[in-house]
Each structure stands twice: as C-alpha cells, then as structure tokens.
C-alpha cells in the first residue's frame, strides 16, 4: 500500500528527513559535537517508530526476540537499567568494503537500513545505548536520539577505514547514549587505546553516571577492538590498556562497571581471559543464558564473505558481578530466523546481533570484591 500524503508524511519529514545534510556535517563536525538539543523539538518514540515502519513497509517484519528472565533473588527496589550493545555496521563499510556476497545491495540502502536500526532501538527502549561502527552520528543518530531524550557522545577512530570508501559519510567510531531523565553525567573520558606503548586506531568512551532514582554511581564504557585473525596479541594489549583505564576511573571497582563492546575476539582468546580474570571482578552477562551459566552464545555475528561463512561470538556485555545483577537478557536470533543468506539482510540491518540486558544494583552497596 502506498502511504497517503497526510500527517504521516509530514511527520516523516519532521523527524527522519529533517536532519543535518552530509555537507554540513563535513564542514562543521567540530562544532556539531555538542548540538543544543534544547532547540530541537522532542519526538514521541511511537511517532518515530510509526515513521520508520512507513519507510519499511515493503520489507519483511522484524524478527521476534524474547527476554529471558535471569533473576535469582528477590526483586530489586528500583527500576532496572536496560543496556543495549550493538555493532550497527558502518554504512560505508557495508556498501564499500565488507563484501557480503549473499546480501543484495538493495538491502543496504541507508534510507531504509537506518530505519531498521532505529526500529530495533525503539523496540527495546534502552536506558543506555552503546554502538560501534557509527558513521552517521551527526546526520542521523545525534539529532534523532537527542530528541528522544538521550545525551549523546561520539568518539571517531583516528584513521577510520570508512574514509577509504568513495562517497563516505566521515569516520566511524563508538557512540554512547543515555537517557537524561534517568541519569546524570558525572565524568566522561574518551580513550584512545594503546598497544605495546603505541597509540592505536581503536577507541573507547567511559562515562560515570549517577542513577537519579537510587543515587548510586556506576561507570558505562563502550569499545571496539582491532579486527582480524593474526591480531590476537594486539587485541590483548588493547584490552589491558582499557582495563587499566577503567581501574583508575572506577577507583579499583568501587564504582560498579558495565563494559559493552565488539571485542573481535572469541572466548578462547587472551583478551577474553584478561577480562574474565580481572581484579575488577567482571562477568559476561550473556553467559547467563547458557544452561550452566558458563558458556557464551554460539554466535553474535554471522555473515558470508567471498572467503566463506563467518560465524563467531565477538560481542559482549561485561559487568561488575559483586555490585550488579542481570535481571534478564534478550535471546539471540535462531539460525532459522537468520536464514541461509545470513546477515545483513532485508530483515536485519547489521552483521552483528544486538545484545540487551536489564541490570539492577545489588541490595548491599557496601559489599565489595
């Protein structure tokens, strides 16, 4: 059905289409870092979701994913904090470098793919959103998510591979968003990761927030480590550097910590063991979905490239297990849902699955490591 030129279309223009042009972005990127969101009208999330669905009406519907209840103890006395982790696939890489041989180029069109990404975010309503491979921050995510009530931070890679792609939209990087009505920003650090004393192309954002409801402090971090086989020692060094920074920021885990990231590392890698065995007393939230609570999911990314099929577990949400409880976690897509052509697809906008967890503070705030 063709949508009429009524209210829906005018709302579509006001929310999705009325964002900053790419030329404005490239010319004024520095001053756009802190756009005054007070000047932008708030958006009702339901209206934006409706607009996305109008754009996506010729695509198949979203996959159904359910939350798995993981609560062991009595209910917390505060609303859970929902955290979403997602490598959304940089547009320049999806179209220009990643060679998803089974994914039609039509499925990667930004005007529709951005609506699939937004639809996923709007469906799960995270209080905190951690994204990697964001190359449309200034013209899409910052303008729209700030109008949904999020405070937004972006830290691009110094030498983003997106810049090698013709007609790119600027560098990709990590982005962190939190709802301003739930949290107050206490401290923010943009970290350029080092490895073997060398500054690298990988980054992290770490922010200390105060939960308005409980008054409790916690630190949320987002990162994206070096990709590809053969770089295991490099990733390990980057992980060590990030942990050292986070030990300082959290005063040695006195402040609870949540770390979201695409680590580009299977659980067998050294960097995974570093996080598992850190003095910060971290656990990986998605292990709790396994029957024994000890195994990571079988995959968080699944794609087909010219070299063959790639099915790996690379994405994680780590948390301070002494201070935080995982109330629930969003189950992964099944192989049947993903389909034989794998990801991305007309159904799903990225080659990585989103991870979503609900956290609550431990009821004994003084109990440390």
């Amino acid at each position: 059905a063709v949508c009429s030129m009524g209210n829906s279309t005018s709302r579509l223009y006001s929310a999705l289409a009325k964002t900053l042009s790419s030329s404005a972005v490239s010319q004024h990127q520095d001053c756009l870092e802190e756009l005054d969101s007070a000047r932008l009208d708030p958006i009702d999330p339901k209206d934006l979701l409706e607009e996305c669905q109008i754009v996506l009406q010729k695509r198949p519907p979203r996959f159904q994913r359910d939350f798995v209840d993981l609560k062991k103890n009595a209910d917390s006395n505060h609303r859970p904090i929902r955290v979403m982790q997602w490598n959304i696939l940089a547009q320049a890489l999806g179209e220009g470098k990643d060679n998803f041989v089974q994914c039609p180029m039509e499925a990667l069109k930004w005007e529709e793919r951005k609506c699939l990404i937004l639809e996923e975010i709007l469906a799960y309503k995270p209080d905190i959103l951690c994204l990697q491979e964001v190359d449309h921050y200034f013209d899409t995510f910052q303008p729209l998510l700030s109008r949904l009530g999020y405070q937004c931070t972006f830290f691009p890679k110094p030498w983003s591979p997106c810049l090698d792609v013709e007609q790119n939209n600027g560098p990709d990087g990590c982005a962190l968003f939190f709802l301003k009505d739930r949290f107050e920003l206490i401290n923010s650090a943009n970290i350029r990761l080092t490895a073997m004393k060398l500054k690298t192309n990988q980054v992290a954002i770490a922010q200390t927030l105060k939960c308005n409801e409980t008054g409790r402090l916690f630190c949320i971090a987002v990162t994206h480590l070096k990709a590809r086989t053969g770089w295991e020692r490099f990733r390990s060094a980057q992980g060590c550097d990030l942990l050292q920074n986070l030990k300082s920021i959290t005063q040695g885990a006195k402040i609870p910590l949540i770390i979201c990231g695409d680590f580009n590392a299977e659980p067998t890698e050294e960097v995974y063991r570093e996080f598992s065995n850190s003095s910060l007393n971290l656990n990986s939230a998605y292990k709790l979905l396994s029957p024994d609570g000890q195994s990571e999911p079988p995959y968080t990314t699944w794609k087909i490239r010219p070299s063959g099929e790639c099915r790996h577990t690379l994405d994680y949400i780590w948390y301070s297990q002494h201070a935080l409880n995982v109330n629930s976690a969003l189950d992964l897509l099944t192989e049947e849902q993903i389909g034989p052509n794998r990801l991305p697809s007309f159904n799903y906008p990225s080659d990585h699955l989103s991870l979503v967890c609900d956290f609550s503070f431990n009821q004994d705030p003084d109990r440390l490591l």
Side-chain angles (χ1 to χ4, degrees):
V2 176
C3 110
S4 65
M5 297 293 286
N7 289 340
S8 296
T9 308
S10 55
R11 276 209 313 277
L12 177 66
Y13 178 78
S14 70
L16 284 175
K18 192 179 173 186
T19 51
L20 299 164
S21 71
S22 293
S23 61
V25 171
S26 58
Q27 290 170 32
H28 306 292
Q29 207 153 30
D30 292 340
C31 59
L32 288 172
E33 180 68 49
E34 295 298 332
L35 275 177
D36 181 7
S37 57
R39 289 187 292 108
L40 300 170
D41 295 333
I43 310 173
D44 186 322
K46 290 179 184 170
D47 287 346
L48 184 58
L49 184 58
E50 186 183 315
E51 294 172 21
C52 288
Q53 287 165 347
I54 291 166
V55 175
L56 297 171
Q57 58 189 326
K58 293 182 181 174
R59 293 215 180 198
R62 280 184 69 256
F63 293 123
Q64 177 63 39
R65 295 171 69 185
D66 297 317
F67 280 90
V68 179
D69 191 352
L70 299 168
K71 283 197 289 268
K72 299 178 201 147
N73 305 318
D75 284 348
S76 157
N77 59 5
H78 68 88
R79 274 190 302 158
I81 296 169
R82 177 162 290 181
V83 177
M84 184 174 191
Q85 146 61 29
W86 199 12
N87 178 332
I88 59 171
L89 174 61
Q91 183 63 21
L93 301 184
E95 287 187 306
K97 278 196 161 194
D98 278 347
N99 290 321
F100 302 117
V101 291
Q102 296 294 98
C103 178
M105 285 302 287
E106 186 77 6
L108 295 171
K109 279 170 52 180
W110 178 241
E111 288 310 305
E112 293 183 8
R113 199 171 77 83
K114 76 176 178 185
C115 290
L116 275 180
I117 295 168
L118 289 166
E119 187 183 43
E120 182 97 341
I121 294 166
L122 290 162
Y124 298 123
K125 304 174 187 161
D127 300 303
I128 299 170
L129 173 64
C130 295
L131 302 180
Q132 299 86 33
E133 290 200 25
V134 179
D135 63 346
H136 276 270
Y137 176 80
F138 293 105
D139 65 356
T140 301
F141 294 104
Q142 198 278 347
L144 288 172
L145 289 172
S146 65
R147 293 171 68 190
L148 290 168
Y150 289 91
Q151 184 152 327
C152 314
T153 305
F154 176 61
F155 192 23
K157 293 174 186 168
W159 314 298
S160 166
C162 294
L163 299 177
D164 298 333
V165 178
E166 214 173 318
Q167 296 182 314
N168 66 74
N169 199 61
D172 77 302
C174 291
L176 200 163
F177 309 85
F178 67 84
L179 285 177
K180 290 186 288 186
D181 66 351
R182 288 215 65 186
F183 311 106
E184 178 189 344
L185 179 63
I186 303 300
N187 185 19
S188 186
N190 286 358
I191 303 163
R192 185 169 167 191
L193 298 175
T194 63
M196 302 130 187
K197 300 188 178 175
L198 297 172
K199 292 194 170 190
T200 73
N201 194 33
Q202 279 64 46
V203 300
I205 303 167
Q207 296 189 330
T208 303
L209 305 180
K210 183 168 88 171
C211 174
N212 292 335
E213 187 180 341
T214 64
R216 301 276 295 272
L217 294 180
F218 68 100
C219 176
I220 178 78
V222 55
T223 195
H224 188 186
L225 302 188
K226 173 69 182 161
R228 304 201 195 291
T229 305
W231 291 86
E232 291 81 4
R233 286 185 62 208
F234 197 81
R235 278 192 287 276
S236 174
Q238 288 182 327
C240 284
D241 183 49
L242 179 56
L243 286 168
Q244 283 302 121
N245 276 279
L246 293 173
K247 280 174 192 171
S248 172
I249 290 167
T250 63
Q251 300 163 32
K254 286 184 182 171
I255 298 171
L257 176 62
I258 300 170
I259 310 161
C260 294
D262 174 357
F263 280 62
N264 276 306
E266 290 273 10
T268 51
E269 266 198 42
E270 181 63 33
V271 68
Y272 182 93
R273 290 193 290 277
E274 284 160 4
F275 273 72
S276 292
N277 301 327
S278 162
S279 62
L280 293 172
N281 196 25
L282 300 170
N283 194 18
S284 172
Y286 264 72
K287 278 167 47 176
L288 301 178
L289 286 181
S290 66
D292 61 358
Q294 299 300 313
S295 308
E296 292 289 352
Y299 50 83
T300 62
T301 178
W302 202 341
K303 61 203 120 189
I304 301 174
R305 286 184 165 142
S307 55
E309 195 157 345
C310 310
R311 176 181 178 266
H312 299 292
T313 300
L314 306 177
D315 307 271
Y316 306 95
I317 300 178
W318 297 91
Y319 69 101
S320 301
Q321 56 188 339
H322 61 284
L324 296 164
N325 300 312
V326 184
N327 296 5
S328 60
L330 184 65
D331 216 348
L332 299 170
L333 292 176
T334 64
E335 181 176 358
E336 184 181 25
Q337 285 175 312
I338 289 171
N341 294 335
R342 308 315 182 198
L343 304 173
S345 65
F346 281 109
N347 300 71
Y348 199 78
S350 176
D351 54 327
H352 289 252
L353 298 177
S354 63
L355 308 181
V356 186
C357 291
D358 289 337
F359 289 97
S360 60
F361 291 107
N362 192 302
Q363 294 308 295
D364 183 3
D366 297 320
R367 183 162 69 95
L368 284 176
L369 308 183

